[in-house]
Amino acid sequence: MESSEKVVAVIMVGGPTKGTRFRPLSFNTPKPLFPLAGQPMVHHPISACKRIPNLAQIFLIGFYEEREFALYVSSLSNELRLPVRYLKEDKPHGSAGGIYYFRDIILEDSPSYIFLLNCDVCCNFPLRDMLEAHKRYGGMGTILVNKVSAESANQFGALVADPVTNELLHYTEKPETFVSDLINCGVYVFTSEIFDYIQDVSIQREGRANLRRVSSFEALQSATRNLPTDFVRLDQDILTPLAGKKRLYTYETMEFWEQIKTPGMSLKCSALYLAQFQLTSPHLLASGNGTKSATIIGDVYIHPSAKVHPTAKIGPNVSISGNVRVAAGVRLISCIILDDVEIMENAVVINSIIGWKSSVGKWSRVQANGDYNDKLGITILGEAVIVEDEVVVTNSIVLPNKTLNLSVLEEIIL
Amino acid sequence: MILHQIEALKAIGVEEVVLAINYQPEVMLNFLKEFEKKLGIKITCSQETEPLGTAGPLALARDKLVDDSGEPFFVLNSDVISEYPLKQMIEFHKSHGGEASIMVTKVDEPSKYGVVVMEESTGKVEKFVEKPKLFVGNKINAGIYLLNPSVLNRIELRPTSIEKEVFPSIAAEQKLYAMVLPGFWMDIGQPKDYITGLRLYLNSLRKNSSSMLAVGSHIVGNVLVDETAKIGEGCLIGPDVAIGPGCVVESGVRLSRCTVMRGVRIKKHACISSSIIGWHSTVGQWARVENMTILGEDVHVGDEIYSNGGVVLPHKEIKSSILKPEIVM
């Protein structure tokens, strides 16, 4: 690789009007900063970016308030010794419109390649391999793709690729009928040429808006017509028209891939990232056999500031955030324990997420069946929820600041 | 349960107890043999080969009940728990000179039971009314009887109901008298009632012989722990808990409103409330057993398992949680 070929990465983090399905965990914390395997969700794609050769800068683009990301971004820049900037959109521009809006900043260092990643996907981000493939293909863009079950393919961007050349032949976002079981993972690498294509879409739309003429074709596409001229979607506006024109290619990952839309999925993704740590960051995984520190089963992350009693038994798939206190005789299985939570003596937590500053009383039990696709398959306690001693909370969602003094089963506590 | 009755009988000088039984007599006998010596009372068994109702077993045991003395004998229903004022009952029986005495107890909702209509002053029983729609009285049969041997002449060796056939006929001859039971009474044929019965029984122990109840910083309310049971560190036990002989309760366990039968092991950090743990069962680490869970004999609940109202038949192993009340065959 030529040393002059700079790379920048852009991570789309969305904004507060997005991620409503992530409630009650997104009330006070931007979803991209919600911890998976003990690290903010956005940290996982960022760590993967860090491993790209010649990476010059990382940009986070979204429409959350700047202050919500300021602290995270500055500490990250220090940690990675790499410029990381948060760019706040004044309003949603779509994923293509977003990068176009900030094109001057992104192109400041004249990068040869631009990675674009959605923040709410969970995968191993094989960015180096993708970049190599992208150079081989010689196209304008390469999309990370993945095979899913035929039944679930319609929830994603479904696509058809040439089996020999890997060229993108056809692309349909969330098709009503079955198109293909190959789907868009939301991870792309482009040359700077992408900005020309976005500009074309934007100009065309502006022209249509100025003419205020409705052709029969446009009448059919009324949804597009009503969009603001600076709102450009990557999937419908760029990928669909460019498919089959030898400009876009695909790179298929055989590893895990999930979309993180709901709190329940975050628990599954936390497990996937913890397992990934075995390969990438084994030092982050806890160990112990109950003599000096707690008994650890499987993959577990424990923040250094958390206090866990040696008689507790933790794991598999548990991540424990900062300042958490886990008392004697506690059992934690498949759960995320957020900052400042207290788990009291002999309590049990299974298949659950315990919100910031909550407390789980002695001999109480917070549990669920662990079905990630079931709305109540993972029990979620919002921020500052108090579960009193000996209370059992099963397959339930509890909104912030509630006190539970009686057991609940399959309920949403508002 | 039955021991309370045997102890009460022994206390008033009864020398022999006959158990009319149709279910697992060996288990019962082995259990009781050791108390035979301890209490110095003779315990024998009369086994039904087919169900004989509530009166039939008396005919079956006729030879054991009748001797030359002509003295009356007690009949106690074993799934009833109450105070046993048997001495007063003997006095009452002698004073009225009838053929049979029964204890009755006052209930809040007589329409659920068979009501005994009696003369308040003498206690002479006029009639029985099954589940009355209109109020006829609030006293019901408490399942404790004192009968003259002659009553046996009224019972044939066939399935017979003592409440519905035998007593009404004695009452018709004006030879049946009822005494009102002072203190608590409860039919504990149902597990739920059993838990409540235990609470009432432990309450009466608190009043009458509180030295039998456990004390300590890990005990809350009325708790009965057999002297051969072992309790680990950091447990919290009570209120209304009975722990049987040879039980092992490991550290960090929470028990409330439950009965733990002989030979049970409760492993670390488990939590049990409002449940019955059958003989020689085990409850795993961090398991949660609650809401009228009934474990039969030799049932094993796995680590971290949750049982909400599971009724588990003997010799089963529970490997997955029971989220809602159900019967596990």
Side-chain angles (χ1 to χ4, degrees):
Chain A
M1 187 190 294
E2 291 169 44
S3 61
S4 61
E5 286 193 328
K6 282 189 188 159
V7 180
V8 297
V10 176
I11 299 171
M12 306 303 289
V13 298
T17 54
K18 296 274 179 182
T20 53
R21 274 182 285 174
F22 210 66
R23 287 172 183 168
L25 297 175
S26 55
F27 282 135
N28 286 322
T29 296
K31 178 178 153 185
L33 297 184
F34 183 82
L36 303 178
Q39 316 294 322
M41 187 181 291
V42 69
H43 197 91
H44 299 279
I46 287 173
S47 303
C49 289
K50 175 66 185 164
R51 294 192 289 272
I52 304 169
N54 294 338
L55 184 77
Q57 249 194 100
I58 296 175
F59 301 100
L60 308 184
I61 295 181
F63 45 100
Y64 286 102
E65 289 305 319
E66 219 136 343
R67 59 183 156 74
E68 301 204 72
F69 280 87
L71 195 67
Y72 174 69
V73 161
S74 73
S75 72
L76 198 63
S77 296
N78 288 332
E79 188 192 321
L80 302 180
R81 272 161 287 162
L82 185 79
V84 179
R85 285 176 71 179
Y86 176 66
L87 305 175
K88 183 184 178 296
E89 297 172 272
D90 53 348
K91 59 180 182 184
H93 292 91
S95 42
I99 57 170
Y100 185 70
Y101 185 78
F102 292 112
R103 61 193 178 277
D104 296 338
I105 300 173
I106 295 168
L107 295 173
E108 222 166 44
D109 293 331
S110 311
S112 306
Y113 303 103
I114 298 130
F115 272 95
L116 180 62
L117 297 90
N118 276 333
C119 163
D120 64 354
V121 300
C122 166
C123 70
N124 68 336
F125 300 106
L127 305 182
R128 282 180 82 139
D129 297 344
M130 249 183 102
L131 184 58
E132 292 307 312
H134 177 68
K135 289 175 183 173
R136 274 199 315 274
Y137 301 147
M140 185 272 283
T142 298
I143 307 169
L144 187 69
V145 303
N146 172 245
K147 244 192 193 96
V148 297
S149 68
E151 303 80 58
S152 64
N154 64 351
Q155 303 161 28
F156 307 100
L159 52 88
V160 180
D162 185 302
V164 179
T165 65
N166 295 318
E167 193 204 336
L168 179 72
L169 298 176
H170 181 81
Y171 187 94
T172 314
E173 185 64 21
K174 298 190 178 70
E176 281 174 27
T177 54
F178 178 74
V179 172
S180 166
D181 58 357
L182 216 50
I183 59 129
N184 175 4
C185 291
V187 177
Y188 319 85
V189 57
F190 296 110
T191 61
S192 57
E193 216 187 330
I194 181 74
F195 291 101
D196 303 334
Y197 283 98
I198 302 171
Q199 189 171 34
D200 287 350
V201 173
S202 196
I203 287 170
Q204 274 173 27
R205 209 170 268 168
E206 210 167 315
R208 282 205 297 263
N210 289 341
L211 282 170
R212 297 194 180 278
R213 182 175 54 84
V214 181
S215 75
S216 59
F217 174 74
E218 279 171 322
L220 285 169
Q221 305 230 317
S222 58
T224 314
R225 184 171 49 92
N226 292 333
L227 288 171
T229 58
D230 55 356
F231 190 95
V232 185
R233 296 161 301 183
L234 189 64
D235 34 33
Q236 285 106 316
D237 299 330
I238 305 288
L239 303 184
T240 298
L242 282 183
K245 293 185 174 158
K246 295 196 170 11
R247 301 308 298 137
L248 296 174
Y249 291 84
T250 61
Y251 179 83
E252 187 177 346
T253 175
M254 301 296 172
E255 297 282 330
F256 63 93
W257 182 84
E258 297 290 345
Q259 212 172 7
I260 317 163
K261 290 293 186 198
T262 60
M265 279 309 295
S266 72
L267 185 54
K268 182 178 188 184
C269 293
S270 196
L272 292 168
Y273 280 141
L274 283 170
Q276 175 86 351
F277 282 174
Q278 299 268 15
L279 306 169
T280 59
S281 325
H283 63 280
L284 290 176
L285 294 173
S287 61
N289 58 9
T291 49
K292 281 182 185 157
S293 57
T295 303
I296 303 294
I297 311 290
D299 300 330
V300 171
Y301 169 84
I302 300 177
H303 190 274
S305 65
K307 287 195 177 64
V308 180
H309 196 275
T311 58
K313 188 175 174 186
I314 316 285
N317 181 27
V318 172
S319 61
I320 298 177
S321 293
N323 296 315
V324 167
R325 286 144 293 156
V326 177
V330 164
R331 182 74 179 100
L332 305 178
I333 302 171
S334 187
C335 56
I336 295 174
I337 312 293
L338 296 166
D339 296 276
D340 304 308
V341 164
E342 179 167 20
I343 313 281
M344 298 186 205
E345 286 83 357
N346 307 303
V348 177
V349 180
I350 302 175
N351 293 327
S352 301
I353 297 173
I354 310 296
W356 308 266
K357 302 186 188 76
S358 291
S359 73
V360 177
K362 292 174 186 172
W363 286 290
S364 57
R365 188 176 178 105
V366 179
Q367 62 181 3
N369 59 24
D371 180 350
Y372 303 107
N373 298 316
D374 181 351
K375 194 180 174 195
L376 296 177
I378 305 293
T379 289
I380 315 284
L381 303 188
E383 185 165 350
V385 167
I386 297 170
V387 178
E388 294 194 342
D389 292 355
E390 297 172 44
V391 165
V392 181
V393 183
T394 306
N395 293 352
S396 294
I397 294 174
V398 184
L399 268 67
N401 304 306
K402 295 286 159 196
T403 296
L404 299 179
N405 51 20
L406 289 172
S407 293
V408 291
L409 170 66
E410 290 165 7
E411 276 188 64
I412 297 173
I413 311 287
L414 300 171
Chain B
M1 244 144 72
I2 196 163
L3 278 180
H4 301 304
Q5 298 177 330
I6 295 175
E7 281 170 2
L9 290 166
K10 166 71 183 169
I12 53 150
V14 170
E15 287 161 358
E16 182 172 359
V17 175
V18 182
L19 303 177
I21 202 167
N22 64 1
Y23 170 74
Q24 292 195 338
E26 309 80 30
V27 176
M28 196 71 171
L29 266 186
N30 290 339
F31 175 74
L32 290 171
K33 273 298 165 198
E34 94 186 50
F35 288 94
E36 198 171 31
K37 286 186 218 101
K38 212 180 199 173
L39 297 173
I41 191 164
K42 191 176 170 198
I43 299 173
T44 53
C45 205
S46 167
Q47 195 195 345
E48 293 162 65
T49 47
E50 54 174 323
L52 290 172
T54 47
L58 298 179
L60 186 68
R62 185 186 179 100
D63 295 344
K64 294 186 167 105
L65 296 175
V66 181
D67 58 16
D68 302 334
S69 69
E71 287 286 309
F73 58 91
F74 282 104
V75 175
L76 284 80
N77 195 335
S78 73
D79 53 12
V80 157
I81 189 165
S82 70
E83 284 177 19
Y84 298 101
L86 302 181
K87 201 169 173 215
Q88 290 97 301
M89 195 174 188
I90 293 173
E91 284 159 14
F92 173 73
H93 188 70
K94 283 180 181 158
S95 71
H96 66 64
E99 197 174 351
S101 298
I102 65 172
M103 291 246 207
V104 293
T105 185
K106 200 171 136 186
V107 291
D108 292 336
E109 293 180 63
S111 57
K112 288 183 182 173
Y113 304 88
V115 171
V116 179
V117 182
M118 54 192 268
E119 212 177 80
E120 286 295 325
S121 54
T122 61
K124 189 156 79 186
V125 176
E126 290 166 16
K127 60 178 176 178
F128 293 83
V129 184
E130 195 58 31
K131 298 195 171 73
K133 290 211 169 62
L134 288 172
F135 184 86
V136 289
N138 57 6
K139 310 287 192 307
I140 67 157
N141 182 346
I144 302 169
Y145 319 127
L146 185 56
L147 311 177
N148 282 350
S150 59
V151 172
L152 292 172
N153 300 332
R154 299 171 181 271
I155 306 171
E156 288 172 41
L157 188 55
R158 62 172 176 85
T160 315
S161 164
I162 198 164
E163 304 87 352
K164 292 185 182 133
E165 298 174 54
V166 182
F167 288 153
S169 75
I170 304 174
E173 294 174 24
Q174 309 202 359
K175 289 178 183 167
L176 182 67
Y177 289 82
M179 167 185 161
V180 179
L181 176 71
F184 78 93
W185 175 89
M186 183 129 207
D187 180 341
I188 48 180
Q190 294 294 315
K192 184 168 170 283
D193 299 332
Y194 177 88
I195 301 280
T196 314
L198 174 69
R199 178 170 62 78
L200 296 172
Y201 171 71
L202 292 177
N203 251 333
S204 82
L205 271 189
R206 170 69 67 196
K207 277 187 229 135
N208 303 326
S209 41
S210 66
S211 62
M212 287 171 68
L213 295 173
V215 288
S217 60
H218 63 295
I219 300 290
V220 186
N222 299 331
V223 174
L224 198 55
V225 181
D226 188 273
E227 56 188 11
T228 60
K230 291 189 177 69
I231 311 287
E233 282 174 26
C235 292
L236 186 62
I237 298 178
D240 305 320
V241 172
I243 300 174
C247 289
V248 177
V249 178
E250 297 184 355
S251 61
V253 165
R254 176 79 182 96
L255 303 176
S256 61
R257 294 173 195 85
C258 63
T259 293
V260 180
M261 304 292 192
R262 154 189 298 266
V264 165
R265 174 178 285 264
I266 314 286
K267 297 186 187 173
K268 285 179 185 175
H269 318 298
C271 180
I272 301 174
S273 61
S274 304
S275 296
I276 300 172
I277 311 301
W279 308 267
H280 305 286
S281 291
T282 57
V283 174
Q285 294 184 19
W286 288 290
R288 172 73 169 229
V289 171
E290 63 173 13
N291 192 23
M292 292 303 149
T293 290
I294 315 294
L295 305 185
E297 186 177 357
D298 184 39
V299 167
H300 302 279
V301 176
D303 290 354
E304 293 135 17
I305 293 295
Y306 173 59
S307 169
N308 173 18
V311 174
V312 185
L313 299 192
H315 314 295
K316 292 291 294 184
E317 196 170 341
I318 302 298
K319 292 175 183 165
S320 59
S321 291
I322 301 166
L323 293 185
K324 290 174 185 170
E326 63 168 303
I327 295 171
V328 180
M329 311 287 279

mmCIF file of all heavy atoms in Angstrom, chain A residues 137 139-143 166-169 189-190 194 238-250:
data_model
loop_
_atom_site.group_PDB
_atom_site.id
_atom_site.type_symbol
_atom_site.label_atom_id
_atom_site.label_comp_id
_atom_site.label_asym_id
_atom_site.label_seq_id
_atom_site.Cartn_x
_atom_site.Cartn_y
_atom_site.Cartn_z
ATOM 1 N N TYR A 137 -11.289 -4.755 -6.346
ATOM 2 C CA TYR A 137 -12.453 -4.582 -7.220
ATOM 3 C C TYR A 137 -12.294 -3.339 -8.099
ATOM 4 O O TYR A 137 -12.761 -3.297 -9.223
ATOM 5 C CB TYR A 137 -13.743 -4.421 -6.403
ATOM 6 C CG TYR A 137 -14.091 -5.559 -5.488
ATOM 7 C CD1 TYR A 137 -14.746 -5.315 -4.268
ATOM 8 C CD2 TYR A 137 -13.809 -6.895 -5.820
ATOM 9 C CE1 TYR A 137 -15.102 -6.339 -3.425
ATOM 10 C CE2 TYR A 137 -14.156 -7.926 -4.960
ATOM 11 C CZ TYR A 137 -14.801 -7.644 -3.764
ATOM 12 O OH TYR A 137 -15.143 -8.650 -2.940
ATOM 13 N N GLY A 139 -13.817 -0.464 -7.692
ATOM 14 C CA GLY A 139 -15.066 0.287 -7.832
ATOM 15 C C GLY A 139 -15.071 1.557 -6.998
ATOM 16 O O GLY A 139 -14.051 1.971 -6.437
ATOM 17 N N MET A 140 -16.259 2.152 -6.915
ATOM 18 C CA MET A 140 -16.420 3.368 -6.119
ATOM 19 C C MET A 140 -16.707 3.031 -4.662
ATOM 20 O O MET A 140 -16.370 3.785 -3.758
ATOM 21 C CB MET A 140 -17.557 4.198 -6.739
ATOM 22 C CG MET A 140 -17.780 5.552 -6.116
ATOM 23 S SD MET A 140 -18.922 5.452 -4.730
ATOM 24 C CE MET A 140 -20.484 5.331 -5.582
ATOM 25 N N GLY A 141 -17.379 1.883 -4.476
ATOM 26 C CA GLY A 141 -17.713 1.520 -3.103
ATOM 27 C C GLY A 141 -17.808 0.021 -2.911
ATOM 28 O O GLY A 141 -18.090 -0.724 -3.863
ATOM 29 N N THR A 142 -17.562 -0.433 -1.680
ATOM 30 C CA THR A 142 -17.718 -1.853 -1.334
ATOM 31 C C THR A 142 -18.561 -1.937 -0.076
ATOM 32 O O THR A 142 -18.334 -1.191 0.891
ATOM 33 C CB THR A 142 -16.352 -2.518 -1.129
ATOM 34 O OG1 THR A 142 -15.631 -2.451 -2.363
ATOM 35 C CG2 THR A 142 -16.499 -3.975 -0.715
ATOM 36 N N ILE A 143 -19.542 -2.820 -0.132
ATOM 37 C CA ILE A 143 -20.504 -2.964 0.975
ATOM 38 C C ILE A 143 -20.231 -4.278 1.692
ATOM 39 O O ILE A 143 -20.065 -5.316 1.044
ATOM 40 C CB ILE A 143 -21.952 -3.029 0.415
ATOM 41 C CG1 ILE A 143 -22.219 -1.832 -0.502
ATOM 42 C CG2 ILE A 143 -22.973 -3.111 1.529
ATOM 43 C CD1 ILE A 143 -23.517 -1.979 -1.286
ATOM 44 N N ASN A 166 -18.383 -10.440 -7.473
ATOM 45 C CA ASN A 166 -18.902 -9.780 -6.268
ATOM 46 C C ASN A 166 -19.516 -8.413 -6.545
ATOM 47 O O ASN A 166 -19.729 -7.625 -5.620
ATOM 48 C CB ASN A 166 -17.818 -9.640 -5.190
ATOM 49 C CG ASN A 166 -17.367 -10.993 -4.681
ATOM 50 O OD1 ASN A 166 -18.193 -11.884 -4.460
ATOM 51 N ND2 ASN A 166 -16.074 -11.170 -4.548
ATOM 52 N N GLU A 167 -19.777 -8.111 -7.801
ATOM 53 C CA GLU A 167 -20.412 -6.830 -8.104
ATOM 54 C C GLU A 167 -21.837 -6.798 -7.559
ATOM 55 O O GLU A 167 -22.542 -7.808 -7.595
ATOM 56 C CB GLU A 167 -20.452 -6.599 -9.626
ATOM 57 C CG GLU A 167 -20.802 -5.155 -9.968
ATOM 58 C CD GLU A 167 -21.403 -4.994 -11.356
ATOM 59 O OE1 GLU A 167 -21.159 -5.849 -12.230
ATOM 60 O OE2 GLU A 167 -22.141 -4.005 -11.550
ATOM 61 N N LEU A 168 -22.227 -5.626 -7.068
ATOM 62 C CA LEU A 168 -23.611 -5.447 -6.620
ATOM 63 C C LEU A 168 -24.497 -5.331 -7.853
ATOM 64 O O LEU A 168 -24.337 -4.403 -8.648
ATOM 65 C CB LEU A 168 -23.734 -4.181 -5.758
ATOM 66 C CG LEU A 168 -25.151 -3.878 -5.241
ATOM 67 C CD1 LEU A 168 -25.550 -4.865 -4.143
ATOM 68 C CD2 LEU A 168 -25.251 -2.442 -4.734
ATOM 69 N N LEU A 169 -25.429 -6.278 -8.016
ATOM 70 C CA LEU A 169 -26.270 -6.290 -9.218
ATOM 71 C C LEU A 169 -27.643 -5.669 -8.968
ATOM 72 O O LEU A 169 -28.268 -5.126 -9.876
ATOM 73 C CB LEU A 169 -26.445 -7.730 -9.711
ATOM 74 C CG LEU A 169 -25.154 -8.455 -10.126
ATOM 75 C CD1 LEU A 169 -25.456 -9.906 -10.504
ATOM 76 C CD2 LEU A 169 -24.484 -7.732 -11.293
ATOM 77 N N VAL A 189 -17.025 0.974 2.433
ATOM 78 C CA VAL A 189 -15.837 1.770 2.154
ATOM 79 C C VAL A 189 -16.026 2.374 0.766
ATOM 80 O O VAL A 189 -16.475 1.708 -0.171
ATOM 81 C CB VAL A 189 -14.526 0.954 2.290
ATOM 82 C CG1 VAL A 189 -14.499 -0.262 1.393
ATOM 83 C CG2 VAL A 189 -13.315 1.844 2.032
ATOM 84 N N PHE A 190 -15.727 3.679 0.669
ATOM 85 C CA PHE A 190 -15.912 4.407 -0.598
ATOM 86 C C PHE A 190 -14.631 5.140 -0.981
ATOM 87 O O PHE A 190 -13.805 5.448 -0.114
ATOM 88 C CB PHE A 190 -17.019 5.461 -0.449
ATOM 89 C CG PHE A 190 -18.383 4.898 -0.184
ATOM 90 C CD1 PHE A 190 -18.988 5.063 1.059
ATOM 91 C CD2 PHE A 190 -19.075 4.208 -1.181
ATOM 92 C CE1 PHE A 190 -20.253 4.549 1.299
ATOM 93 C CE2 PHE A 190 -20.343 3.694 -0.933
ATOM 94 C CZ PHE A 190 -20.935 3.855 0.310
ATOM 95 N N ILE A 194 -17.786 9.140 -4.083
ATOM 96 C CA ILE A 194 -19.134 9.031 -3.518
ATOM 97 C C ILE A 194 -19.783 10.409 -3.385
ATOM 98 O O ILE A 194 -20.983 10.564 -3.583
ATOM 99 C CB ILE A 194 -19.100 8.303 -2.137
ATOM 100 C CG1 ILE A 194 -20.514 8.153 -1.527
ATOM 101 C CG2 ILE A 194 -18.232 9.009 -1.120
ATOM 102 C CD1 ILE A 194 -21.353 7.121 -2.179
ATOM 103 N N ILE A 238 -28.662 6.014 -3.472
ATOM 104 C CA ILE A 238 -27.345 5.767 -4.060
ATOM 105 C C ILE A 238 -27.168 4.299 -4.464
ATOM 106 O O ILE A 238 -26.842 3.990 -5.614
ATOM 107 C CB ILE A 238 -26.219 6.148 -3.062
ATOM 108 C CG1 ILE A 238 -26.380 7.596 -2.581
ATOM 109 C CG2 ILE A 238 -24.834 5.901 -3.671
ATOM 110 C CD1 ILE A 238 -26.054 8.660 -3.601
ATOM 111 N N LEU A 239 -27.411 3.382 -3.522
ATOM 112 C CA LEU A 239 -27.121 1.971 -3.794
ATOM 113 C C LEU A 239 -28.056 1.400 -4.852
ATOM 114 O O LEU A 239 -27.605 0.740 -5.790
ATOM 115 C CB LEU A 239 -27.212 1.140 -2.507
ATOM 116 C CG LEU A 239 -26.317 1.582 -1.347
ATOM 117 C CD1 LEU A 239 -26.450 0.613 -0.172
ATOM 118 C CD2 LEU A 239 -24.856 1.678 -1.788
ATOM 119 N N THR A 240 -29.351 1.661 -4.711
ATOM 120 C CA THR A 240 -30.310 1.097 -5.666
ATOM 121 C C THR A 240 -30.026 1.566 -7.104
ATOM 122 O O THR A 240 -29.891 0.731 -8.011
ATOM 123 C CB THR A 240 -31.766 1.406 -5.231
ATOM 124 O OG1 THR A 240 -31.981 0.788 -3.965
ATOM 125 C CG2 THR A 240 -32.788 0.870 -6.226
ATOM 126 N N PRO A 241 -29.875 2.898 -7.334
ATOM 127 C CA PRO A 241 -29.607 3.318 -8.732
ATOM 128 C C PRO A 241 -28.257 2.856 -9.277
ATOM 129 O O PRO A 241 -28.126 2.639 -10.484
ATOM 130 C CB PRO A 241 -29.639 4.851 -8.663
ATOM 131 C CG PRO A 241 -30.070 5.238 -7.307
ATOM 132 C CD PRO A 241 -30.050 4.053 -6.432
ATOM 133 N N LEU A 242 -27.247 2.709 -8.388
ATOM 134 C CA LEU A 242 -25.915 2.369 -8.889
ATOM 135 C C LEU A 242 -25.664 0.862 -9.034
ATOM 136 O O LEU A 242 -24.636 0.455 -9.568
ATOM 137 C CB LEU A 242 -24.834 2.966 -7.974
ATOM 138 C CG LEU A 242 -24.552 4.475 -8.149
ATOM 139 C CD1 LEU A 242 -23.417 4.889 -7.225
ATOM 140 C CD2 LEU A 242 -24.199 4.800 -9.593
ATOM 141 N N ALA A 243 -26.621 0.053 -8.539
ATOM 142 C CA ALA A 243 -26.438 -1.408 -8.635
ATOM 143 C C ALA A 243 -26.399 -1.822 -10.103
ATOM 144 O O ALA A 243 -27.145 -1.288 -10.926
ATOM 145 C CB ALA A 243 -27.579 -2.127 -7.905
ATOM 146 N N GLY A 244 -25.486 -2.730 -10.422
ATOM 147 C CA GLY A 244 -25.385 -3.239 -11.796
ATOM 148 C C GLY A 244 -24.629 -2.309 -12.726
ATOM 149 O O GLY A 244 -24.652 -2.498 -13.936
ATOM 150 N N LYS A 245 -23.972 -1.282 -12.171
ATOM 151 C CA LYS A 245 -23.233 -0.347 -13.040
ATOM 152 C C LYS A 245 -21.726 -0.421 -12.814
ATOM 153 O O LYS A 245 -20.994 0.522 -13.088
ATOM 154 C CB LYS A 245 -23.741 1.089 -12.806
ATOM 155 C CG LYS A 245 -25.184 1.255 -13.274
ATOM 156 C CD LYS A 245 -25.660 2.688 -13.166
ATOM 157 C CE LYS A 245 -27.057 2.792 -13.781
ATOM 158 N NZ LYS A 245 -27.779 3.961 -13.284
ATOM 159 N N LYS A 246 -21.297 -1.542 -12.248
ATOM 160 C CA LYS A 246 -19.870 -1.791 -12.012
ATOM 161 C C LYS A 246 -19.195 -0.719 -11.148
ATOM 162 O O LYS A 246 -18.005 -0.457 -11.251
ATOM 163 C CB LYS A 246 -19.119 -1.943 -13.349
ATOM 164 C CG LYS A 246 -19.553 -3.164 -14.160
ATOM 165 C CD LYS A 246 -18.543 -3.480 -15.223
ATOM 166 C CE LYS A 246 -18.748 -4.807 -15.927
ATOM 167 N NZ LYS A 246 -19.978 -5.552 -15.740
ATOM 168 N N ARG A 247 -19.985 -0.076 -10.302
ATOM 169 C CA ARG A 247 -19.417 0.930 -9.404
ATOM 170 C C ARG A 247 -19.387 0.426 -7.961
ATOM 171 O O ARG A 247 -18.639 0.925 -7.140
ATOM 172 C CB ARG A 247 -20.233 2.246 -9.467
ATOM 173 C CG ARG A 247 -20.319 2.914 -10.839
ATOM 174 C CD ARG A 247 -18.950 3.109 -11.493
ATOM 175 N NE ARG A 247 -18.066 3.973 -10.719
ATOM 176 C CZ ARG A 247 -16.761 3.700 -10.511
ATOM 177 N NH1 ARG A 247 -16.226 2.593 -10.998
ATOM 178 N NH2 ARG A 247 -16.011 4.520 -9.814
ATOM 179 N N LEU A 248 -20.292 -0.539 -7.677
ATOM 180 C CA LEU A 248 -20.402 -1.019 -6.295
ATOM 181 C C LEU A 248 -20.137 -2.520 -6.235
ATOM 182 O O LEU A 248 -20.566 -3.277 -7.108
ATOM 183 C CB LEU A 248 -21.794 -0.714 -5.736
ATOM 184 C CG LEU A 248 -22.146 0.779 -5.593
ATOM 185 C CD1 LEU A 248 -23.602 0.927 -5.174
ATOM 186 C CD2 LEU A 248 -21.232 1.467 -4.580
ATOM 187 N N TYR A 249 -19.447 -2.933 -5.155
ATOM 188 C CA TYR A 249 -19.106 -4.343 -4.970
ATOM 189 C C TYR A 249 -19.469 -4.755 -3.543
ATOM 190 O O TYR A 249 -19.803 -3.923 -2.694
ATOM 191 C CB TYR A 249 -17.617 -4.549 -5.252
ATOM 192 C CG TYR A 249 -17.315 -4.371 -6.716
ATOM 193 C CD1 TYR A 249 -17.103 -3.094 -7.255
ATOM 194 C CD2 TYR A 249 -17.291 -5.470 -7.582
ATOM 195 C CE1 TYR A 249 -16.874 -2.911 -8.600
ATOM 196 C CE2 TYR A 249 -17.054 -5.302 -8.941
ATOM 197 C CZ TYR A 249 -16.844 -4.018 -9.448
ATOM 198 O OH TYR A 249 -16.628 -3.860 -10.778
ATOM 199 N N THR A 250 -19.403 -6.055 -3.322
ATOM 200 C CA THR A 250 -19.776 -6.558 -1.990
ATOM 201 C C THR A 250 -18.630 -7.370 -1.412
ATOM 202 O O THR A 250 -17.840 -7.973 -2.139
ATOM 203 C CB THR A 250 -21.015 -7.478 -2.066
ATOM 204 O OG1 THR A 250 -20.695 -8.591 -2.907
ATOM 205 C CG2 THR A 250 -22.213 -6.741 -2.627
#
